[in-house]
Amino acid sequence: MAFKNLLYIFIFTSVWHFSNAQEIVNVIETDSFMSDKKCCDMSMCKGKNWVTAEYRYILNPAKSTVSELSALGFVLDEQASEVGIKFGAFPKIFYYQQLGSLTNGNYTSIHGIGLKEKYQHDFIKNQAIVLAPYIEIGGGFYQLSLVRNVNGNSFSTAVNNQTSESRLYNFSVTGDLGLNVGYSFLLLNTRVTLTANGGYMTNLPSNWNTGHSLAFKEKLDLSSLYFGGRLSVNLFDCCN
């Protein structure tokens, strides 16, 4: 009889412990599911930058260089453009271009390349709306080309040494102040952001030089207003 009682007690205890253990497992699975769901809720995740592309139309940069070249018979456009691309956390790579017009056999242009890093503050705490002022600091290497005696549109003009070209160089520290305004939305596990921007860019005016050491008195001053657009794609990794 005592053995029977012990057996009943053992069975009852085992069933009770098994029931409690099952409840604990259910609670753990429920919590885990809720945690995963919260983690995988992309609207809660900002994501990491995958690629950002940007275009700027610069209204009136290098004003002093434009006027100085004009006095020498070289016509440089008053407007310029800048394109930039940024991968991940790497600084933005930009390309600057300011073309000219062929006038009396003379042609000139400015091209530049460099890096910029942006520091932005979001005014609106809503991932769908972008309203963010920013500053951008960087540095670029610029080249001024001066071509003379361009009297034809054939390779023979250059091959027969009818043309002559001079190149001047400039390294400059740049700074931009602007505002991003746009919209952000989810698309195929990514967050896509489209913004329009505008602002004012400037640089520390520096002398044009040749031979990497011989400097001329003329300086490059890029100060100007600009406007443009920006496309950014962020990838989500909070569920990994």
Side-chain angles (χ1 to χ4, degrees):
M1 182 66 65
F3 175 78
K4 260 181 158 183
N5 292 335
L6 289 175
L7 181 60
Y8 290 148
I9 293 172
F10 175 78
I11 293 173
F12 175 81
T13 304
S14 299
V15 170
W16 185 79
H17 280 292
F18 177 81
S19 176
N20 284 344
Q22 187 64 35
E23 289 181 4
I24 292 173
V25 170
N26 290 337
V27 169
I28 292 174
E29 289 179 350
T30 301
D31 289 344
S32 177
F33 173 78
M34 294 299 292
S35 176
D36 290 344
K37 184 177 180 180
K38 182 178 179 181
C39 173
C40 292
D41 184 358
M42 292 186 298
S43 64
M44 303 294 293
C45 303
K46 189 174 183 180
K48 291 185 178 180
N49 178 69
W50 177 43
V51 63
T52 298
E54 186 173 1
Y55 172 81
R56 292 179 180 177
Y57 184 79
I58 308 168
L59 298 180
N60 192 18
K63 291 181 285 293
S64 59
T65 300
V66 170
S67 60
E68 289 158 356
L69 290 176
S70 178
L72 298 174
F74 292 86
V75 178
L76 185 64
D77 292 348
E78 293 185 357
Q79 293 77 36
S81 60
E82 181 181 294
V83 294
I85 188 165
K86 174 182 174 67
F87 295 101
F90 193 74
K92 180 179 75 175
I93 304 171
F94 75 88
Y95 174 74
Y96 176 93
Q97 178 176 272
Q98 188 169 0
L99 302 179
S101 300
L102 181 60
T103 305
N104 298 324
N106 294 334
Y107 182 76
T108 184
S109 62
I110 298 176
H111 299 272
I113 190 170
L115 299 175
K116 291 184 178 181
E117 185 64 77
K118 177 178 292 183
Y119 303 92
Q120 178 173 296
H121 176 72
D122 295 322
F123 265 157
I124 300 179
K125 302 302 181 181
N126 185 330
Q127 292 191 352
I129 304 298
V130 179
L131 180 62
Y134 63 84
I135 59 172
E136 205 169 48
I137 306 297
F141 181 78
Y142 300 85
Q143 175 183 280
L144 170 64
S145 296
L146 301 166
V147 186
R148 303 170 186 83
N149 301 321
V150 183
N151 298 314
N153 60 354
S154 172
F155 283 153
S156 62
T157 304
V159 172
N160 295 329
N161 294 322
Q162 295 177 5
T163 63
S164 62
E165 182 178 8
S166 302
R167 296 182 180 180
L168 302 180
Y169 305 96
N170 193 297
F171 178 81
S172 188
V173 176
T174 62
D176 303 343
L177 178 65
L179 178 67
N180 277 323
V181 180
Y183 178 71
S184 178
F185 58 92
L186 299 176
L187 178 65
L188 299 177
N189 295 328
T190 63
R191 178 170 291 280
V192 180
T193 304
L194 296 171
T195 58
N197 58 31
Y200 187 81
M201 65 174 287
T202 188
N203 70 311
L204 295 177
S206 51
N207 301 81
W208 288 105
N209 64 80
T210 188
H212 303 289
S213 59
L214 179 60
F216 298 94
K217 65 178 181 179
E218 290 83 3
K219 295 183 178 183
L220 173 64
D221 185 354
L222 295 173
S223 300
S224 174
L225 294 171
Y226 69 87
F227 63 89
R230 183 169 176 259
L231 168 65
S232 180
V233 180
N234 285 9
L235 297 180
F236 294 104
D237 62 352
C238 65
C239 297
N240 294 333

